[in-house]
Each structure stands twice: as structure tokens, then as C-alpha cells.
Amino acid sequence: MSQSRIPEKKVICVDMDEVIADALGEHIQRYNREFNEKVTPADLHGRWFWDFVPPERLSTLERYIRSEDFFASLSVMPDSQRVLERLQERYEIYIATAAMEVPTSFTAKFEWLKSHFPFIRPSHIVFCGDKGILRGDFLIDDNPRQLRRFHGEGILFSAPANAYVTGFRRVSNWLDVEKMFLG
Amino acid sequence: MSQSRIPEKKVICVDMDEVIADALGEHIQRYNREFNEKVTPADLHGRWFWDFVPPERLSTLERYIRSEDFFASLSVMPDSQRVLERLQERYEIYIATAAMEVPTSFTAKFEWLKSHFPFIRPSHIVFCGDKGILRGDFLIDDNPRQLRRFHGEGILFSAPANAYVTGFRRVSNWLDVEKMFLG
């Protein structure tokens, strides 16, 4: 293309589950209620919830995630709204979420974003199973597999499961993200 | 990242509507049936269907696209299955479709792809409103606006509406695509 482009903002892609939406919290809450357990995020240090739960209960987790109201119930991660809105002034922000494993979640995820992050335009929401397809300068994600696929710099957002993962710059929360990108 | 990557295949992103799925054909068919008209694709030379239809009928088009069975009804564009399956041997293929304007279409589009293009893995399906976010070498799309946003080379797939668009290499059908990429 010969047409000139407006000088572009750096692109930051932001994962949804465990980064702006507390899916794990909702999972644990439903699980504890159903099985009368007292699991806390600290119990999951270095393990995905799927690897922690006894095999015979895995179908229950599957049921949670497929239930109509699962995504609508998710809490927003602390400070993520305020910081993302600030970041948007200096960066181009895309929310990139892997919804392909639970195709019924598309609409629910989209509605959740619209309600909690109304300043993110629909055109800047991406559903993709493989974040290697994203053209971005940074990806903030809790999943090291996705960060490795990504071609820009992967920023690891701390979650219990990734406690032992190394090889990426790490942020523990949205205040860390704010400091990293807005000084 | 210091980790070494396997030498990568070139990435081709492929749009869905008007490129592999005949959405326009379905629109015209429903429209002709409802209004007892005889519109053909040739009547739309250089115009989007939305610009062709009298304003008072626009809500009807909107209704078609939001109807439960619209996407399930779409015909597959000739030769697209065979050629995409061949292309996949030499290129990394992603289907990239802008579903954000009709959020109810996510699941229907996903199901359509699964049924007609079972060789495309779910991880290689992308829903995005803005194809500027895709990291790919080529994008095959009928929409010049998306091709301009894209950072690789845009290939214009002929459709009645884009008859007068210039500035891109153009393919008229999937046999042209086959020739372009597989010589």
C-alpha cells in the first residue's frame, strides 16, 4: 500500500480471564459452595484449577463455564477499568480473549465487556484461540503458552497458576501495569 | 524472548462473508422473495446492498442478518474448501471475520465454519472488528476498508460492491487464489 499512515500508537493486547475478569474467583466460589470446600487462590500456587480438582469433579468445572450466567457473574479485576481507560489515551488497546473452547461464551463475554468496559469499542475486541495471530507490541496475559505464541513482548499477569513461570516481565496487578506503561 | 522459533509458514488471513460464505446471495434471495423483486448480483455493481435498497427496507436487511438461521443458510463459495485445504499445506491459514456488529452471530458463524471447513482448527478462527490487529502476510477480503487497516498485503476478493476499487491485487474467485499462492 502506498498510502501513508498516521503515526501509530503502540498496541497493547489485554487478555480477559484472570487479567480483567476474575474467572478463577467465580470458579472457586461455585466449587466451594457445591462441594462444601474451602479452597482459596493460595492453594492453587503453581497449579491450574483443572489440575488441582479431583478428576471426577472436572465435569463440574466444565459445567460452570458452560452455564448461562457464568460470564455475567465475573467480578472485574481491581483497578483494571481505571488503568485501561488511562492507557487508552496513549496506547491502542485491544481485548483479546480465547473464547474458542467454549463457543457459547462469545455473546456473554461480549456483553460483559460492553457493560464493564464501555470505553473499549467493539472493533477492539478480538476472539481468538491463538494469540500468535495478534499484531501488537505487548500482550498482557496470565497464560505463558499464549505469551510464547505472541510475536511482541509478552507481559505475564500474575495468577496462582503461573507462580513459577519465568522468562517474561511480570506484573502482579493493575497498579503494576500502570507503572510499567505510564511511568 | 530468547527462545528459538520453528521457521514459520507465511500467514494468510481469509475473510468469511463474500469470500468463503455467500452472504450476499442469501440476502438477495430473501429480499427478492419478500418484496417480489428480481435483484441480481449484477445490479449491485459498485454498490453495497445496503446502499442499493430503498431506505425504508433497510430494517428488513437488518432483520435477515439477525435471524436465527441466517448464517446456517449460507452457501459455500465455489472451490473455497478445496483450495483452502491445499493452501493449508504450505501456509498458515486463519479465518478472520468481523462479527462484532452482529454479536448474536458468533456462535452461528463458528458452527458454520466447523461444518463446512472442518480442517480449520478452532484456534485458527478469529472474530475481530478491525483487521488491523492481525499479524499476517496476506489478507484476502472483499472489503477495502479492512484491507487498508491490515498491515500485510491486502488481496481484494471481487464482489459486486468493490467493482471499482483499485490499489490491491485482485482475485475473482478461488481458482485465482489457487494460482496466486500455489502457482
Side-chain angles (χ1 to χ4, degrees):
Chain A
M1 258 27 31
S2 63
Q3 102 213 58
S4 66
R5 294 181 186 279
I6 300 152
E8 283 178 357
K9 291 175 176 175
K10 294 259 188 201
V11 172
I12 305 178
C13 302
V14 178
D15 177 37
M16 193 168 160
D17 293 335
E18 282 21 287
V19 174
I20 61 172
D22 187 9
L24 179 62
E26 183 67 21
H27 264 299
I28 292 179
Q29 197 178 66
R30 292 186 183 214
Y31 181 85
N32 284 344
R33 202 187 306 137
E34 178 155 351
F35 295 107
N36 200 19
E37 298 266 14
K38 291 200 171 83
V39 177
T40 71
D43 297 324
L44 300 173
H45 206 69
R47 284 189 289 183
W48 298 92
F49 199 28
W50 316 94
D51 299 325
F52 170 88
V53 163
E56 66 274 17
R57 292 181 180 173
L58 277 177
S59 61
T60 307
L61 295 195
E62 189 76 6
R63 172 160 53 76
Y64 295 159
I65 219 175
R66 289 181 190 279
S67 78
E68 285 281 320
D69 65 338
F70 183 80
F71 288 98
S73 316
L74 302 190
S75 303
V76 176
M77 295 296 256
D79 304 304
S80 59
Q81 290 153 313
R82 183 184 60 76
V83 174
L84 267 178
E85 195 157 14
R86 275 199 70 199
L87 280 175
Q88 218 176 26
E89 293 163 20
R90 302 243 312 254
Y91 297 89
E92 195 162 353
I93 305 293
Y94 288 85
I95 306 296
T97 177
M100 301 311 168
E101 289 118 47
V102 190
T104 48
S105 70
F106 294 132
T107 309
K109 284 188 157 192
F110 192 78
E111 293 300 324
W112 189 91
L113 285 167
K114 217 165 61 176
S115 116
H116 296 291
F117 293 83
F119 53 88
I120 303 277
R121 281 172 294 157
S123 66
H124 281 55
I125 297 171
V126 184
F127 292 138
C128 60
D130 170 4
K131 295 184 186 171
I133 190 59
L134 301 172
R135 181 195 60 79
D137 299 286
F138 303 97
L139 168 63
I140 304 174
D141 204 306
D142 67 307
N143 187 333
R145 187 170 52 82
Q146 295 287 9
L147 294 178
R148 280 183 208 108
R149 295 281 306 161
F150 183 65
H151 283 235
E153 184 187 348
I155 309 284
L156 186 67
F157 195 95
S158 286
N162 67 34
Y164 302 116
V165 173
T166 58
F168 305 98
R169 281 203 284 170
R170 179 186 282 272
V171 287
S172 297
N173 52 50
W174 278 92
L175 299 180
D176 276 2
V177 175
E178 185 171 34
K179 215 177 301 166
M180 182 178 283
F181 288 101
L182 297 169
Chain B
M1 261 20 33
S2 62
Q3 102 211 58
S4 67
R5 293 180 188 280
I6 300 153
E8 282 178 357
K9 291 176 176 172
K10 294 261 188 198
V11 172
I12 304 178
C13 302
V14 177
D15 177 37
M16 192 167 159
D17 293 337
E18 282 20 288
V19 175
I20 61 171
D22 187 9
L24 179 62
E26 183 67 22
H27 264 299
I28 292 179
Q29 198 178 64
R30 291 186 183 214
Y31 181 84
N32 284 343
R33 203 187 305 135
E34 179 155 350
F35 295 107
N36 200 20
E37 298 266 13
K38 291 200 171 81
V39 178
T40 70
D43 297 324
L44 301 173
H45 206 68
R47 285 189 289 184
W48 297 92
F49 199 27
W50 316 94
D51 299 326
F52 170 88
V53 163
E56 67 274 17
R57 291 181 181 174
L58 278 177
S59 60
T60 308
L61 295 196
E62 190 75 7
R63 173 160 53 76
Y64 295 159
I65 219 175
R66 290 182 189 279
S67 78
E68 285 281 320
D69 65 338
F70 183 80
F71 288 98
S73 316
L74 302 191
S75 302
V76 176
M77 295 296 256
D79 303 305
S80 59
Q81 291 153 310
R82 183 184 59 78
V83 174
L84 268 179
E85 194 157 15
R86 275 199 70 200
L87 279 175
Q88 218 175 25
E89 293 163 21
R90 302 242 312 254
Y91 298 88
E92 195 162 353
I93 304 293
Y94 288 84
I95 306 296
T97 176
M100 302 311 169
E101 289 118 47
V102 191
T104 48
S105 69
F106 294 133
T107 310
K109 285 188 156 193
F110 192 78
E111 293 300 324
W112 188 91
L113 285 167
K114 217 166 60 176
S115 115
H116 296 291
F117 294 83
F119 52 87
I120 304 278
R121 281 171 295 155
S123 65
H124 282 54
I125 297 171
V126 184
F127 293 138
C128 60
D130 170 5
K131 295 184 185 171
I133 190 60
L134 300 172
R135 181 195 60 79
D137 298 287
F138 304 96
L139 168 64
I140 304 174
D141 205 306
D142 68 307
N143 187 333
R145 187 170 52 83
Q146 295 287 9
L147 294 177
R148 281 184 208 108
R149 295 279 310 159
F150 183 65
H151 283 236
E153 183 186 348
I155 310 283
L156 186 67
F157 196 95
S158 286
N162 68 34
Y164 302 117
V165 173
T166 57
F168 304 98
R169 281 204 284 171
R170 180 186 281 273
V171 287
S172 298
N173 52 49
W174 277 92
L175 299 180
D176 276 3
V177 176
E178 184 170 35
K179 217 177 301 168
M180 182 178 283
F181 288 100
L182 298 169

